[in-house]
Amino acid sequence: MAPASRLLALWAVAAVALPGSGAEGDGGWYAFVRPVILQGLTDNSRFRALCSRERLLASFGDRVVRLSTANTYSYHKVDLPFQEYVEQLLHPQDPTSLGNDTLYFFGDNNFTEWASLFRHYSPPPFGLLGTAPAYSFGIAGAGSGVPFHWHGPGYSEVIYGRKRWFLYPPEKTPEFHPNKTTLAWLRDTYPALPPSARPLECTIRAGEVLYFPDRWWHATLNLDTSVFISTFLG
């Protein structure tokens, strides 16, 4: 467990200003400067029910999905039926595998074919001025994840399982190899980091949302077989 000073702040949304909402308080500060865990945003119990293994296979088992390799730049893509991914590839991460040997379902969703599912999702009820939301839906096995990378701001909600996050501000480039999995980084690099070089970190559980600001470095590690959805603000 990281020292308390390195853990992310937690907001119960009903009691505080929202990030980027223009409300009084610290919301604007978090929107552009610091990640934050948010609770009580929306009720996605219906969406969660539709994301069970049985319901997803019944509705989308024969649909072709696009998988990405789990390295920083995700160069390689593979298309295969969703049922084949769930039954053959959705297993715990092999700690000896490299990122370009690990296929990961996240980000390359066909919104037309998955529209019947996504219409039941309630995204975080606020945004940033000048941005529009875009969804990325994912399902991955325990120990899987994506090594350090960065992009624009957004939210990540866990629907099933738990997802551990490691984050650095834009000006602090983490020590990592882009083709090593997050599991390998946690085993080989993380223990030797001095306290000043440790990332901010947290574990997001079902129903919780992590807000990440623009250009923050982050790596993810699924602690269980997990279902999750991100709302990118582009």
Side-chain angles (χ1 to χ4, degrees):
M1 177 66 69
S5 62
R6 312 243 15 114
L7 299 177
L8 294 182
L10 173 67
W11 272 358
V13 173
V16 299
L18 302 178
S21 66
E24 295 298 326
D26 290 335
W29 186 81
Y30 274 93
F32 299 104
V33 177
R34 189 175 176 86
V36 63
I37 301 168
L38 300 157
Q39 293 181 330
L41 287 177
T42 53
D43 179 6
N44 275 309
S45 55
R46 171 62 175 162
F47 183 74
R48 187 175 191 273
L50 294 173
C51 288
S52 70
R53 178 188 176 102
E54 294 76 15
R55 298 289 289 272
L56 286 176
L57 285 175
S59 299
F60 303 101
D62 60 346
R63 306 289 175 88
V64 174
V65 295
R66 175 158 291 180
L67 310 180
S68 301
T69 49
N71 50 1
T72 293
Y73 304 111
S74 297
Y75 288 124
H76 186 53
K77 309 287 184 181
V78 174
D79 293 342
L80 80 171
F82 178 65
Q83 182 165 347
E84 184 176 334
Y85 171 69
V86 171
E87 294 180 349
Q88 299 183 20
L89 298 179
L90 191 62
H91 48 62
Q93 173 72 44
D94 180 349
T96 65
S97 294
L98 294 175
N100 60 7
D101 297 324
T102 303
L103 292 171
Y104 195 73
F105 176 46
F106 177 65
D108 288 292
N109 309 126
N110 184 317
F111 288 93
T112 300
E113 291 191 345
W114 290 75
S116 61
L117 175 65
F118 291 154
R119 67 186 176 88
H120 294 284
Y121 177 64
S122 298
F126 44 83
L128 298 176
L129 292 176
T131 68
Y135 296 155
S136 285
F137 178 67
I139 303 170
S144 65
V146 179
F148 283 103
H149 62 288
W150 59 265
H151 43 64
Y155 305 92
S156 181
E157 179 169 353
V158 171
I159 307 302
Y160 283 101
R162 297 169 297 157
K163 184 185 287 286
R164 189 172 176 184
W165 285 71
F166 307 90
L167 304 104
Y168 288 97
E171 68 276 7
K172 193 170 184 178
T173 303
E175 178 184 342
F176 75 104
H177 189 289
N179 197 31
K180 279 194 171 184
T181 64
T182 304
L183 189 62
W185 174 86
L186 185 64
R187 178 193 63 199
D188 300 336
T189 303
Y190 179 90
L193 294 175
S196 61
R198 291 283 177 99
L200 288 171
E201 56 187 283
C202 63
T203 297
I204 304 300
R205 294 169 172 80
E208 295 181 334
V209 176
L210 175 69
Y211 170 75
F212 48 87
D214 189 24
R215 296 177 180 266
W216 271 65
W217 288 96
H218 54 279
T220 59
L221 180 69
N222 296 297
L223 301 181
D224 314 294
T225 299
S226 298
V227 179
F228 44 93
I229 186 167
S230 292
T231 304
F232 293 105
L233 303 175

